[in-house]
Amino acid sequence: MEQNLFVYNTLTRKKEAFEPLNAPHVGMYVCGPTVYSDAHMGNARTYISFDLIFRYLTHIGYKVRYVRNITDAGHLEGDADEGEDKISKKAKLAQLEPMEIVQKYTVGFRDVMRILNTLPPSIEPTATGHIIEQIELVKVILAKGYAYEVNGSVYFDVEKYNHNNDYGTLSGRNLDDMLNNTRTLGGQDEKRGKLDFALWIKAKPEHLMKWPSPWGIGFPGWHLECSAMSNKYLGEQFDIHGGGIDLVPTHHTNEIAQNEASCGKNPAKYWVHTNMLTVNGQKMSKSLGNSFLPDELFTGNNHILTKAYSPMTVRFFMLQTHYSSTLDFSNDAMEASEKGFKRLMNAFALVDGLKVSAQSDVDVSTIEKGCYTAMNDDFNSPVLIAELFELSKIINSVHDGKTSIDDKNYQMIKNIIQHFVVDVLGLVNEQAANDELPNVMDFVINLRTEAKTNKDYATSDKIRIGLQQIGFQLKDSKDGTTWSKI
Ligand SMILES: [Zn+2]
């Protein structure tokens, strides 16, 4: 915590010293996925970026409460009160219960996050689990006079709000510009102003996900859940609010308006946004035919990809670009990352066998300092990785007998790897992990054989079923037991 951390704040458009409201506690809210389809590459990039931030804040001693919601209702197709609820629409097409869709894609999203070695958030609240809180928030905003009810729906009155507040504070745009550049959207016949947005939407009879409210049967507007849930778990004001940069003009702008209208406070001190992912210089989109899913990247099963890339290569590739810059995907860039990552991991694998001398030709503390300087400069992971490449050169040189290091520097090398490679960047040496797997499996199979020999079938079944649940199948034959990955 003695670190001199600076964070770029979208709200003030500058890098600011990071001073939490209630140190050593840090509250961080990140807008989570809408679980109506597979997690996409943009999700992967956004949440790897916030995982880096979460990990670094934790590393320097903060006690972080990281809240990332799951949007399982209320997010309409057009993002702005138009079209159908994304989850309801998918449920109707697939003839499933909306909650079956939610379950399927929530599990899939968490799987991708785990494979990419992102840490789970402290709390992962759902929109459907917080309908009561959302209704209460609408009541407060209505009571404060910043919303109005029309025919069972409740809308936020943007122009009235803008009299006393600055609606464009986050996007840096003024209201007239916004009014002139807004197309007519859903619910317009009921809205007083072009920029007004729904807090509560009256449900049509065929709408699947709906709840009773003081205004009739309906469902919450998308922006409402994040105000309600961040308030519930982090308080009226907390430290960091994050999400993809595409959320700035509407979703986050409306969130701030809801919070200011209800309690007079901007919810977050620092607004942090991750940039977009492009493919060969173009926006990634299904219509351009250049989109692919994380799973397809891991298997190579997409025409855009020349081969498969391991999850750690993907993570490393993403961390080689600063979170606030556009990240361009190409097969060449991925291959370069794959080579670089292997080079780095191969050097780090030599550390345990390095010869320690009485004298040191190098002073590793400058690299450790460089690692902190990089991360303190708005979580600059590419500069951190450049420092780690410098470290790998020293390790290789000591290994080749060209450089000598003393014990102090040797311990420092070990610390840098543990702190920055494992704890902060969250990178795992997949090769080493795979090399050890057969030994671990032999050990577990022997335990099970021993249990069977002792007629302890409860334990032997527990081992077999447990392995199956994490993706390993055992096969018994007269020659013994073999294993395979499912
Ligand atoms: Zn949100």
Side-chain angles (χ1 to χ4, degrees):
M1 265 184 294
E2 284 132 47
Q3 299 302 325
N4 211 2
L5 173 62
F6 278 74
V7 179
Y8 182 82
N9 190 351
T10 310
L11 196 61
T12 55
R13 282 162 270 280
K14 54 179 190 251
K15 272 187 207 169
E16 293 177 352
F18 184 67
E19 286 157 5
L21 297 163
N22 190 23
H25 300 280
V26 168
M28 177 164 89
Y29 187 94
V30 176
C31 291
T34 302
V35 282
Y36 72 106
S37 64
D38 291 308
H40 55 76
M41 292 303 299
N43 290 145
R45 189 196 183 190
T46 300
Y47 303 126
I48 284 176
S49 302
F50 285 103
D51 184 57
L52 174 79
I53 293 173
F54 179 39
R55 283 169 175 272
Y56 186 63
L57 292 173
T58 305
H59 170 68
I60 58 177
Y62 290 115
K63 300 194 182 329
V64 187
R65 182 180 294 164
Y66 173 19
V67 182
R68 186 181 67 207
N69 66 306
I70 296 274
T71 296
D72 56 354
H75 192 165
L76 301 183
E77 284 176 275
D79 283 2
D81 312 340
E82 53 175 346
E84 264 189 273
D85 181 296
K86 287 186 175 189
I87 289 155
S88 288
K89 186 182 177 192
K90 185 97 182 187
K92 277 185 206 160
L93 287 174
Q95 295 195 320
L96 294 169
E97 274 292 321
M99 277 301 163
E100 283 182 277
I101 303 285
V102 165
Q103 178 71 7
K104 178 178 177 204
Y105 293 115
T106 303
V107 168
F109 169 72
R110 288 189 183 137
D111 277 349
V112 170
M113 291 296 108
R114 182 180 44 77
I115 290 167
L116 288 168
N117 203 29
T118 65
L119 298 172
S122 328
I123 307 177
E124 207 171 22
T126 62
T128 56
H130 296 77
I131 299 294
I132 292 168
E133 289 83 350
Q134 295 181 72
I135 290 173
E136 288 305 310
L137 188 56
V138 178
K139 283 192 202 163
V140 175
I141 299 171
L142 272 169
K144 300 252 175 173
Y146 289 113
Y148 54 93
E149 187 202 342
V150 182
N151 190 26
S153 293
V154 180
Y155 297 100
F156 190 94
D157 191 334
V158 171
E159 282 174 68
K160 183 169 179 194
Y161 168 79
N162 197 60
H163 280 308
N164 308 325
N165 303 271
D166 178 9
Y167 179 66
T169 180
L170 190 67
S171 63
R173 298 163 69 195
N174 71 46
L175 197 73
D176 289 337
D177 275 356
M178 284 189 261
L179 281 167
N180 291 334
N181 290 309
T182 303
R183 46 195 184 100
T184 305
L185 296 170
Q188 206 57 59
D189 46 338
E190 292 181 346
K191 289 179 187 174
R192 289 182 194 162
K194 240 176 163 183
L195 293 169
D196 293 0
F197 58 91
L199 298 173
W200 187 263
I201 302 164
K202 182 185 180 169
K204 294 191 182 112
E206 67 275 18
H207 197 89
L208 294 175
M209 299 174 89
K210 53 194 170 191
W211 294 266
S213 81
W215 317 283
I217 304 278
F219 55 97
W222 171 41
H223 317 299
L224 196 62
E225 64 178 274
C226 291
S227 289
M229 296 193 281
S230 65
N231 195 322
K232 173 159 180 166
Y233 296 110
L234 298 170
E236 287 180 351
Q237 270 193 310
F238 49 92
D239 301 294
I240 298 174
H241 194 313
I245 199 164
D246 53 321
L247 299 180
V248 170
T250 308
H251 182 56
H252 285 169
T253 289
N254 290 348
E255 250 190 86
I256 292 174
Q258 290 166 161
N259 284 59
E260 289 271 7
S262 59
C263 72
K265 289 174 189 152
N266 185 316
K269 191 169 174 188
Y270 306 92
W271 285 82
V272 177
H273 292 99
T274 57
N275 213 322
M276 300 304 215
L277 185 79
T278 56
V279 181
N280 299 315
Q282 277 187 312
K283 192 174 180 238
M284 190 187 222
S285 87
K286 275 190 192 143
S287 57
L288 288 173
N290 66 357
S291 77
F292 50 85
L293 297 169
D295 271 350
E296 293 169 338
L297 197 50
F298 306 149
T299 57
N301 191 15
N302 185 301
H303 70 98
I304 297 235
L305 307 164
T306 49
K307 57 182 275 206
Y309 298 97
S310 76
M312 282 304 106
T313 304
V314 174
R315 188 174 169 105
F316 183 72
F317 166 72
M318 290 193 169
L319 292 169
Q320 274 187 304
T321 297
H322 189 258
Y323 75 84
S324 68
S325 306
T326 307
L327 171 64
D328 189 45
F329 174 91
S330 68
N331 282 292
D332 288 349
M334 280 301 298
E335 276 184 42
S337 277
E338 187 178 49
K339 279 194 193 123
F341 183 56
K342 272 195 188 139
R343 221 166 61 228
L344 213 51
M345 287 298 147
N346 287 344
F348 296 156
L350 298 172
V351 170
D352 281 344
L354 288 186
K355 194 168 149 274
V356 176
S357 315
Q359 299 291 323
S360 201
D361 301 336
V362 285
D363 178 7
V364 183
S365 69
T366 55
I367 291 187
E368 187 181 49
K369 214 167 145 240
C371 291
Y372 280 107
T373 305
M375 285 305 288
N376 287 336
D377 182 16
D378 196 24
F379 312 102
N380 200 327
S381 54
V383 174
L384 167 60
I385 289 170
E387 291 286 349
L388 294 173
F389 273 113
E390 287 304 310
L391 185 70
S392 74
K393 281 186 207 156
I394 294 174
I395 294 167
N396 286 328
S397 178
V398 174
H399 180 255
D400 294 344
K402 292 176 189 154
T403 302
S404 54
I405 49 161
D406 59 9
D407 190 55
K408 188 171 151 245
N409 278 283
Y410 176 69
Q411 294 305 331
M412 204 176 284
I413 289 178
K414 286 188 129 184
N415 278 339
I416 294 172
I417 293 172
Q418 178 61 42
H419 291 159
F420 287 96
V421 180
V422 180
D423 297 346
V424 173
L425 292 175
L427 294 169
V428 177
N429 189 346
E430 291 159 317
Q431 200 51 49
N434 287 340
D435 286 350
E436 285 158 14
L437 188 61
N439 294 335
V440 174
M441 290 302 285
D442 282 348
F443 177 73
V444 176
I445 286 170
N446 284 338
L447 278 182
R448 178 169 169 267
T449 309
E450 221 174 275
K452 273 171 85 174
T453 312
N454 296 334
K455 297 203 177 353
D456 178 4
Y457 298 114
T459 303
S460 75
D461 279 352
K462 202 169 166 183
I463 293 173
R464 181 180 53 79
I465 294 163
L467 285 173
Q468 203 164 25
Q469 281 169 346
I470 55 170
F472 293 95
Q473 192 149 34
L474 298 185
K475 202 173 159 198
D476 295 317
S477 73
K478 59 179 173 26
D479 301 324
T481 305
T482 53
W483 63 272
S484 58
K485 280 200 92 170
I486 302 168

